[in-house]
Amino acid sequence: MITIKVPARICFFGDHQDYLGLPVIAGAIDRFINLKGTKNTEQKFNINLQDIGTHISLRLDDVSTQVADGDYFRSGMALLKKQGLEFQQGYDISISGNIPINAGLSSSSALVVTWIKFLIAVQETAFTFKDTQIGQLAYEAEVVYFKQPGGLMDQYTIAQRGMLYIHTQSGESNSLSSKIGTIIVAESSIKKQTLEVLKNAKEYALQIIATVKEHDSSFDISESSVEDYQRYLHIVPEEYRAYWYASIFNFDITKKAKQEFKKDSPDVEKIGILMNQHQGILQNQIQNTPSKMIKMMDKACKSGAYGAKIIGSGGGGCMVALTDENSKSKVIEAFLDAGAVKAYEVKIYI
């Protein structure tokens, strides 16, 4: 039997920055997708997605070039065939997990990374892929293949594990300290609006950057500073200025957070303050946070959380808060009292 175990991820800093080629700070957490595969006598992968009650059957010799949107199983197989991998043995596969679906913890990316790892594991000839290569393949299978607007943060974080500072232009990743206090995740039960939120934010931000570069060809968003906000504000159309603010100041917050995370014992209160600043931009400029979730996070902070923010692209989903052991139960209770359906502690998975 082949078994694969892959974690979820939380983006702590850099939401809506990776598609601009800007860095992010993200961590893998101890919520998982689990795969078990047993050889069968068919020339098929028979997949049972237990949590949603779906069964999928894939022929090993499937050469279809028309892959339906979101069919990551076929896109993954197609990409790995281009890498020289062959599929000669059928398997009965069961997949389950405890990552909430469509909630910002990257259940879909965890599934894709799991699938890529499985397809490599079943090879009769040994193939060696680095974790970053697995992340890249998963990114291509999930995002590039279907021309989706997302970045590579999710796949790279999940494939590599730990707490990471990811340079999203190159994929280079630097390990950071995971000693950031007690991490609480709360599930809002509000369905995310991933593609709609991402599409608008990405298009507007890229238009702004292109406008600034037309004015000043030397401008590089990856080298920008907070002074650039006012310097170029006069050429940014008024309707896009919120996204210009978000691009500049979220980048600055991420850089400040990185300096704290590089310490052996980061100041969790400082990280919490930066997290709140980041959330302020997400809800006020990008406007990706429903009012009900804002109230949940406000109550959590008043109950002892150092900081709280929405997870993922937004429109709904999960929230994360940083606190300490003494306030943990109060923060969890605050989330639940404010309307969250679940709230629980998670740890960085290394």
Side-chain angles (χ1 to χ4, degrees):
M1 178 181 289
I2 291 176
T3 60
I4 309 288
K5 180 180 179 180
V6 168
R9 78 94 186 90
I10 289 175
C11 178
F12 290 93
F13 294 95
D15 294 276
H16 292 277
Q17 299 282 276
D18 57 343
Y19 51 69
L20 302 180
L22 296 176
V24 299
I25 295 175
I29 60 168
D30 57 350
R31 307 285 284 192
F32 302 100
I33 294 289
N34 295 287
L35 179 151
K36 294 181 180 179
T38 305
K39 291 181 179 180
N40 62 33
T41 57
E42 303 176 72
Q43 287 293 296
K44 293 180 181 179
F45 291 142
N46 298 314
I47 305 167
N48 177 20
L49 298 169
Q50 295 181 336
D51 299 326
I52 59 175
T54 298
H55 299 268
I56 299 170
S57 184
L58 303 176
R59 290 182 56 86
L60 302 186
D61 60 356
D62 187 349
V63 293
S64 173
T65 57
Q66 298 297 319
V67 178
D69 283 347
D71 188 346
Y72 307 131
F73 295 107
R74 285 185 171 85
S75 65
M77 289 179 68
L79 285 170
L80 285 177
K81 284 179 180 179
K82 288 183 178 180
Q83 295 287 324
L85 279 69
E86 298 178 351
F87 307 111
Q88 300 175 342
Q89 171 64 56
Y91 279 81
D92 293 326
I93 302 159
S94 66
I95 300 175
S96 62
N98 61 356
I99 305 174
I101 297 171
N102 194 34
L105 294 180
S106 290
S107 59
S108 62
S109 296
L111 176 61
V112 179
V113 173
T114 301
W115 181 240
I116 296 296
K117 283 176 169 273
F118 170 78
L119 294 177
I120 294 171
V122 301
Q123 296 300 302
E124 293 184 3
T125 302
F127 282 79
T128 301
F129 288 88
K130 297 179 181 178
D131 290 337
T132 51
Q133 292 175 306
I134 291 174
Q136 178 65 26
L137 286 167
Y139 166 64
E140 291 178 10
E142 183 178 2
V143 178
V144 178
Y145 197 94
F146 299 103
K147 297 181 173 63
Q148 298 293 354
L152 54 73
M153 166 183 61
D154 299 352
Q155 300 83 7
Y156 271 59
T157 305
I158 291 166
Q160 295 179 88
R161 303 174 302 282
M163 183 72 76
L164 300 171
Y165 181 87
I166 302 175
H167 304 262
T168 59
Q169 284 187 330
S170 65
E172 179 187 351
S173 305
N174 304 118
S175 296
L176 299 174
S177 174
S178 59
K179 299 176 182 178
I180 56 170
T182 301
I183 306 170
I184 305 298
V185 165
E187 299 178 20
S188 71
S189 81
I190 301 171
K191 188 176 180 180
K192 283 178 60 205
Q193 304 294 325
T194 302
L195 293 182
E196 181 180 347
V197 173
L198 271 178
K199 184 176 183 293
N200 291 339
K202 180 178 181 178
E203 286 185 359
Y204 295 155
L206 290 176
Q207 286 178 24
I208 297 162
I209 293 169
T211 298
V212 173
K213 285 186 72 66
E214 285 180 7
H215 175 79
D216 180 357
S217 60
S218 67
F219 177 76
D220 183 348
I221 187 66
S222 66
E223 300 293 332
S224 64
S225 65
V226 294
E227 289 76 16
D228 288 325
Y229 174 72
Q230 286 294 341
R231 181 176 296 123
Y232 299 107
L233 185 62
H234 66 287
I235 64 171
V236 176
E238 188 170 348
E239 64 268 28
Y240 296 149
R241 288 183 177 180
Y243 293 92
W244 173 240
Y245 183 95
S247 298
I248 294 295
F249 283 91
N250 271 341
F251 181 29
D252 183 66
I253 289 169
T254 301
K255 289 185 289 186
K256 289 177 179 176
K258 178 190 178 185
Q259 295 308 309
E260 199 61 42
F261 273 103
K262 287 170 66 177
K263 299 176 182 177
D264 291 336
S265 297
D267 187 324
V268 181
E269 291 190 45
K270 286 184 180 180
I271 293 175
I273 291 170
L274 291 170
M275 183 180 288
N276 286 334
Q277 292 174 1
H278 184 28
Q279 173 57 35
I281 294 173
L282 294 175
Q283 69 189 44
N284 296 322
Q285 274 72 38
I286 294 180
Q287 299 185 355
N288 76 337
T289 313
S291 59
K292 290 182 179 179
M293 295 178 72
I294 294 173
K295 292 177 182 178
M296 293 178 199
M297 289 183 283
D298 285 346
K299 190 162 185 178
C301 288
K302 290 176 181 177
S303 299
Y306 299 126
K309 64 176 286 292
I310 195 170
I311 303 173
S313 57
C318 289
M319 301 152 283
V320 61
L322 294 186
T323 185
D324 55 33
E325 282 298 307
N326 293 331
S327 299
K328 175 174 67 176
S329 59
K330 293 180 181 179
V331 171
I332 290 174
E333 184 178 351
F335 271 125
L336 296 173
D337 287 347
V341 294
K342 291 182 181 179
Y344 41 84
E345 181 182 1
V346 299
K347 296 184 183 298
I348 298 299
Y349 181 71
I350 300 173

